């Protein structure tokens, strides 16, 4: 793993500098005295490091702290333009790419570039072409790009850089392969985990440390945050909520097993149910379209326009999902459960049925501890999370 200042983990000054940057990221601007207290260092040591970091361009002085009496101390904080991170969110259909500055502001966003991921080298090359094009159109000094974070669906080990479900055709870790193609450091993580982290850093989390993020998109997954840390499991495979066996419906899941939760509670299930019911003769605003041309986006849009068939199907999805979110609440006793992903665009219609089911199936006392909310970042959660994870990776936070 890389640090900003060197690759030498034994260099004490460099690791202290990373910790100072981490303080600025988590707590905002600060005085040398407060930093010294936070890090357990002497004020002269912190002052020396801050002076060096100012010269190196990573830290700016932001005026003086207003105090009632005595000498007003200088306030220091991150120089937002000292480094940049790119986040890439690959969706079932389409690609979002964002650029974040060092402070965490999203400064560029490309939404929904046409792209359909396949598990082939040609598809990976196309992805890299999109990223190179995005970089070429940026107006910043691109030498300041410190890392490109990529969200990948399925089984991903962020520590080794291997992806096992997507782009899995080389002996090399996917990160190494992409670094060779792109010429920048690359990190990868599971898409749901990245979304959970985005929501944690910039979305609806307000100080809660035990949080579950349910990604209800084409598939279904859960991002787990315990004591403020993303939980990955032994190999990065934690959170495969959608592949819990839940139904004896005989429906084959794309993972190869039958009756997974995802076969009845996901965007793909939502599309299937709506199409089946239209084929059986029920009417919908989508009836005018040939069945095989109806997309996930069409179904979401029809739901937002309050199409009765779509609303009814959505209620069923929400009830199934809520039943199993109730189990998660019983298991984890979280402070906050966030419902995110593409289907969270349907808002209250979805939340109402999930809430009803949670009340019915979770333990009363446990459920009282848990607040349920809808994603604030919505479709941006993935890009924000990918950028944030790229920064976390560089700083070894
Ligand atoms: Zn499955």
């Amino acid at each position: 793993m890389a640090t900003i200042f060197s690759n030498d983990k034994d260099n004490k000054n460099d690791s202290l500098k990373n910790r100072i940057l981490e303080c600025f990221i988590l707590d905002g601007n600060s005085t040398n005295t407060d930093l010294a207290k936070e890090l357990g260092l002497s004020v002269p040591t912190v002052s020396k490091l801050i002076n060096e970091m100012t010269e190196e361009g990573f830290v700016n002085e932001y005026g003086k702290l207003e105090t009632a009496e005595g000498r007003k101390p200088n306030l220091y904080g991150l120089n937002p333009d000292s480094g940049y991170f790119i986040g890439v969110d690959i969706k079932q259909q389409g690609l979002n790419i964002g650029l974040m500055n060092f402070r965490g502001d999203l400064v560029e966003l490309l939404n929904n570039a046409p792209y359909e991921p396949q598990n082939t080298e040609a598809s990976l090359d196309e992805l890299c072409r999109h990223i190179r094009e995005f970089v070429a159109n940026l107006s910043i000094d691109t030498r300041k790009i410190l890392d490109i974070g990529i969200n990948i669906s399925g089984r991903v080990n962020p520590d080794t850089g291997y992806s096992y479900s997507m782009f899995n055709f080389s002996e090399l870790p996917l990160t190494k392969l992409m670094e060779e193609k792109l010429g920048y450091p690359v990190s990868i993580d599971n898409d749901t985990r990245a979304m959970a982290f985005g929501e944690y850093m910039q979305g609806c989390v307000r100080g809660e440390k035990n949080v579950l993020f349910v990604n209800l998109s084409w598939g279904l997954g859960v991002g787990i945050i315990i004591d403020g840390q993303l939980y990955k499991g032994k190999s990065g495979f934690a959170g495969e909520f959608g592949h819990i066996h839940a139904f004896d419906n005989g429906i084959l899941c794309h993972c190869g097993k039958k009756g997974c939760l995802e076969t009845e509670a996901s965007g793909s299930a939502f599309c299937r149910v709506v199409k089946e019911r239209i084929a059986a003769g029920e009417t919908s605003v989508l009836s005018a379209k040939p069945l095989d041309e109806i997309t996930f986006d069409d179904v979401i849009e029809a739901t937002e326009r309050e199409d009765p068939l779509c609303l009814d199907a959505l209620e069923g999805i929400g009830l199934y999902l809520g039943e199993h979110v109730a189990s998660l609440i019983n298991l984890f006793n979280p402070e906050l459960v966030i419902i995110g992903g593409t289907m969270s665009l349907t808002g209250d219609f979805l939340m109402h049925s999930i809430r009803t089911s949670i009340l019915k199936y979770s333990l009363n006392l446990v459920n009282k501890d848990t607040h349920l909310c809808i994603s604030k970042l919505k479709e941006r959660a993935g890009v924000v999370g990918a950028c944030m994870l790229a920064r976390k990776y560089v700083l070894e936070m």
Side-chain angles (χ1 to χ4, degrees):
M1 285 203 185
T3 66
I4 289 181
F5 299 101
S6 79
N7 287 319
D8 182 5
K9 270 193 175 174
D10 298 329
N11 187 326
K12 195 158 166 257
N13 268 4
D14 286 352
S15 79
L16 287 176
K17 285 176 179 177
N18 277 358
R19 287 179 62 203
I20 289 175
L21 292 175
E22 195 181 328
C23 285
F24 287 141
I25 285 169
L26 297 176
D27 307 324
N29 297 347
S30 183
T31 64
N32 286 353
T33 314
D34 285 342
L35 280 173
K37 248 184 246 162
E38 176 78 23
L39 297 169
L41 299 168
S42 71
V43 176
T45 304
V46 169
S47 300
K48 181 177 164 283
L49 292 168
I50 287 287
N51 285 343
E52 285 177 23
M53 291 166 81
T54 308
E55 259 172 45
E56 287 157 349
F58 287 98
V59 166
N60 280 352
E61 196 190 313
Y62 289 99
K64 293 190 183 294
L65 181 71
E66 285 309 317
T67 49
E69 51 194 61
R71 222 180 91 221
K72 299 185 188 338
N74 287 339
L75 266 178
Y76 295 96
L78 293 173
N79 173 4
D81 300 319
S82 55
Y84 291 88
F85 305 91
I86 286 179
V88 180
D89 191 38
I90 307 168
K91 302 188 302 169
Q92 179 68 16
Q93 281 173 328
L95 188 65
N96 297 340
I97 309 179
L99 177 78
M100 190 185 86
N101 68 20
F102 211 91
R103 192 171 54 200
D105 311 316
L106 202 59
V107 285
E108 287 285 340
L109 181 62
L110 171 71
N111 246 334
N112 242 343
Y115 179 65
E116 274 191 52
Q118 311 279 333
N119 190 22
T120 63
E121 185 140 19
S123 184
L124 180 64
D125 284 338
E126 198 195 336
L127 173 69
C128 291
R129 185 178 58 75
H130 277 291
I131 297 170
R132 274 196 300 270
E133 232 174 73
F134 177 82
V135 171
N137 286 323
L138 294 174
S139 51
I140 59 156
D141 176 357
T142 52
R143 286 169 304 180
K144 289 186 176 177
I145 296 172
L146 301 175
D147 192 83
I148 301 180
I150 321 261
N151 298 348
I152 313 258
S153 67
R155 265 65 72 205
V156 172
N157 187 332
D159 296 330
T160 60
Y162 278 99
S163 165
Y164 298 93
S165 311
M166 198 66 205
F167 304 133
N168 178 21
F169 39 72
S170 167
E171 299 254 306
L172 282 177
L174 179 60
T175 46
K176 284 278 156 297
L177 202 61
M178 292 191 76
E179 278 170 8
E180 283 173 9
K181 289 176 192 285
L182 294 169
Y184 290 98
V186 170
S187 54
I188 60 172
D189 211 325
N190 169 268
D191 52 356
T192 299
R193 207 155 38 227
M195 291 163 85
F197 192 61
E199 201 72 40
Y200 183 73
M201 295 294 284
Q202 288 198 341
C204 57
V205 178
R206 293 280 171 270
E208 293 90 347
K209 298 290 178 201
N210 297 292
V211 179
L212 299 176
F213 177 90
V214 178
N215 177 15
L216 185 61
S217 294
W218 183 252
L220 174 67
V222 65
I224 304 161
I225 293 167
I226 298 176
D227 287 337
Q229 295 294 322
L230 269 183
Y231 180 77
K232 292 183 295 204
K234 176 178 180 284
S235 309
F237 307 157
E240 290 291 2
F241 186 39
H243 302 291
I244 287 174
H245 180 75
F247 301 98
D248 286 320
N249 58 8
I251 298 176
L252 189 67
C253 179
H254 65 91
C255 74
K257 313 227 181 266
K258 282 181 183 171
C260 290
L261 179 56
E262 197 170 301
T263 62
E264 301 287 0
S266 65
S268 52
F270 187 31
C271 274
R272 187 195 71 237
V273 170
V274 167
K275 286 184 190 182
E276 279 170 3
R277 290 176 61 171
I278 292 172
E282 288 188 56
T283 51
S284 155
V285 293
L286 296 168
S287 304
K289 219 172 172 182
L291 267 187
D292 56 355
E293 286 178 20
I294 297 174
T295 64
F296 184 29
D297 286 344
D298 292 336
V299 179
I300 296 285
E301 204 181 298
T303 311
E304 286 172 326
R305 286 162 57 198
E306 303 187 18
D307 175 63
L309 171 59
C310 289
L311 285 180
D312 198 55
L314 181 73
E315 188 183 359
I317 303 273
L319 290 173
Y320 281 140
L321 181 66
E323 187 180 334
H324 292 274
V325 170
S327 304
L328 293 181
I329 290 173
N330 289 350
L331 267 181
F332 286 95
N333 184 207
E335 296 160 88
L336 182 66
V337 174
I338 305 163
I339 306 296
T342 312
M343 285 190 65
S344 68
L345 294 172
T346 60
D348 287 343
F349 296 121
L350 174 68
M351 295 303 276
H352 182 73
S353 53
I354 293 177
R355 195 169 272 126
T356 303
S357 214
I358 288 176
L359 278 175
K360 190 170 166 192
Y361 292 105
S362 63
L363 293 171
N364 194 19
L365 193 63
V366 183
N367 178 38
K368 273 197 181 123
D369 274 353
T370 304
H371 184 60
L372 183 73
C373 76
I374 198 154
S375 164
K376 183 180 162 197
L377 298 182
K378 299 267 183 336
E379 292 285 73
R380 271 191 309 130
V383 156
V384 170
C387 292
M388 286 281 170
L389 281 177
R391 185 177 68 177
K392 184 175 169 13
Y393 179 81
V394 168
L395 289 177
E396 296 184 323
M397 276 171 73

